Amino acid sequence: MSESGGAMDEVFSEHPGTPESAVWLKGQLLRIASALYPDRRPVVVREWTDPVRLRDPEPVGHRFLFLVCAGGDDRPSSPGFDDVLHAFTAEGWTTHRRSSDHPGESRAQARREDFEVRVYEGSGPGLLTFTGWTPVVYTGRQSGRPRFTLSTVRGVLCDDCHGWGVCLLCGGRAYSGGSGGYGRCVCAGNNAGPGRCVECGGSGALTAKATSWVRKRYGLPDPDGTGSFPQVPAEGGYDSGTSALVAVSERPCACGEFRCFWRNRLTDADDRTLALFAGICQGCAAQRAYAFELPRRRLAADQVEDLP
């Protein structure tokens, strides 16, 4: 992986070169968010692309992604999470609610054909966000679909197979060509299994041992594994959790990568309101955390989240 993974993204806007799939997905996310919060304007926090590579450094295609903040700074006027999923199904999406390891947080996956959306709602009450991605748009000959791209893998993308999960020497067939006919590929006789990527064992993501080495290269510690929000100094100057999320989404990790699965919590602590963000970098799997002091707002007693 490049030492400046964040430089790989190509921020785009709607222009004649933008594919119809990206325009359609963006419109869907904004439509659903507007239906949930008719009195608010949803915010496109960030839009970017993931490169899709085979063996050569030059990308063969891209996947287009959007992070949309639908709202949620004040839960009393917010819909329930079931209503959020119903809004997707009303637009023709299939939804699957996923269990959360973190109390007060909700998450789900929505699919429609080859489009996918990660739906997340923070605790305390936190923000409601949609992260959507298109199918891969190829610049030349149509290829298959990689298991993951930089923004969709839960971990760090394998830098050997680029998320495909197969050996790129044989294309997953376990046989390679030669003057003497077809011979067995090197990937057929090791623990990865026939046709699978040797580096990641077919998962498409680096192993925990490999990502630990990446973090050490940048002088970063391993995550504590507790899933809690680390206590960090609070920053000021933001009027809402949404504006804080916009700021967080633009900040790269020490490894240079901006892609991160951000969790969120809104909490009352020490007579002030804090918006907390925590996530695992998708470039090196380092733990990242930020805290922002917001204008004082009294949360309902049953919504208060105590800091760990």
Side-chain angles (χ1 to χ4, degrees):
M1 178 172 289
S2 166
E3 290 194 3
S4 181
M8 292 183 181
D9 73 303
E10 301 171 13
V11 177
F12 70 97
S13 58
E14 292 182 18
H15 54 73
T18 303
E20 292 183 4
S21 59
V23 176
W24 179 86
L25 177 60
K26 183 177 181 179
Q28 279 279 294
L29 298 181
L30 294 177
R31 181 199 301 270
I32 294 171
S34 296
L36 292 166
Y37 294 91
D39 57 339
R40 297 182 186 174
R41 183 176 180 180
V43 176
V44 179
V45 176
R46 184 157 192 162
E47 49 190 88
W48 69 99
T49 63
D50 279 355
V52 177
R53 295 182 171 87
L54 292 172
R55 295 183 61 184
D56 298 325
E58 187 68 22
V60 297
H62 292 82
R63 170 173 276 156
F64 293 75
L65 299 103
F66 302 91
L67 171 59
V68 172
C69 184
D73 282 333
D74 51 347
R75 183 61 54 84
S77 62
S78 301
F81 198 68
D82 287 339
D83 293 330
V84 174
L85 302 188
H86 291 158
F88 273 91
T89 57
E91 290 289 334
W93 294 76
T94 300
T95 61
H96 175 67
R97 188 162 185 168
R98 298 186 178 276
S99 60
S100 177
D101 297 329
H102 312 292
E105 299 177 39
S106 300
R107 62 189 185 99
Q109 213 78 5
R111 294 178 182 272
R112 181 169 174 177
E113 297 177 350
D114 291 326
F115 295 85
E116 191 164 352
V117 178
R118 183 185 302 113
V119 185
Y120 171 80
E121 190 170 43
S123 63
L127 300 174
L128 172 64
T129 60
F130 307 149
T131 304
W133 54 87
T134 69
V136 176
V137 179
Y138 290 99
T139 55
R141 181 178 63 86
Q142 181 79 5
S143 300
R145 303 290 182 190
R147 295 192 64 178
F148 303 109
T149 57
L150 285 166
S151 300
T152 65
V153 63
R154 287 195 173 275
V156 177
L157 198 73
C158 176
D159 55 9
D160 194 60
C161 69
H162 304 296
W164 288 85
V166 301
C167 170
L168 297 184
L169 290 174
C170 67
R173 295 182 296 274
Y175 292 92
S176 57
S179 58
Y182 286 97
R184 290 178 67 84
C185 179
V186 64
C187 67
N190 57 47
N191 293 331
R196 295 181 181 178
C197 172
V198 174
E199 185 74 17
C200 66
S203 70
L206 288 181
T207 63
K209 182 178 180 180
T211 53
S212 180
W213 180 85
V214 172
R215 286 190 296 272
K216 290 177 181 177
R217 184 174 64 182
Y218 294 105
L220 299 170
D222 288 337
D224 59 20
T226 64
S228 63
F229 285 80
Q231 296 190 32
V232 294
E235 305 177 30
Y238 296 90
D239 60 1
S240 68
T242 302
S243 61
L245 176 61
V246 172
V248 165
S249 70
E250 297 295 331
R251 298 183 183 184
C253 175
C255 73
E257 181 60 72
F258 76 86
R259 296 170 178 86
C260 188
F261 289 112
W262 290 113
R263 296 170 50 218
N264 171 250
R265 175 186 292 176
L266 191 68
T267 182
D268 279 343
D270 300 328
D271 200 34
R272 57 181 179 168
T273 299
L274 296 179
L276 309 178
F277 295 89
I280 301 297
C281 173
Q282 287 170 266
C284 67
Q287 190 169 29
R288 302 182 60 194
Y290 298 97
F292 300 89
E293 185 170 354
L294 305 180
R296 179 65 175 161
R297 66 195 71 182
R298 176 63 62 181
L299 303 179
D302 61 348
Q303 297 170 335
V304 174
E305 294 282 345
D306 295 329
L307 286 173

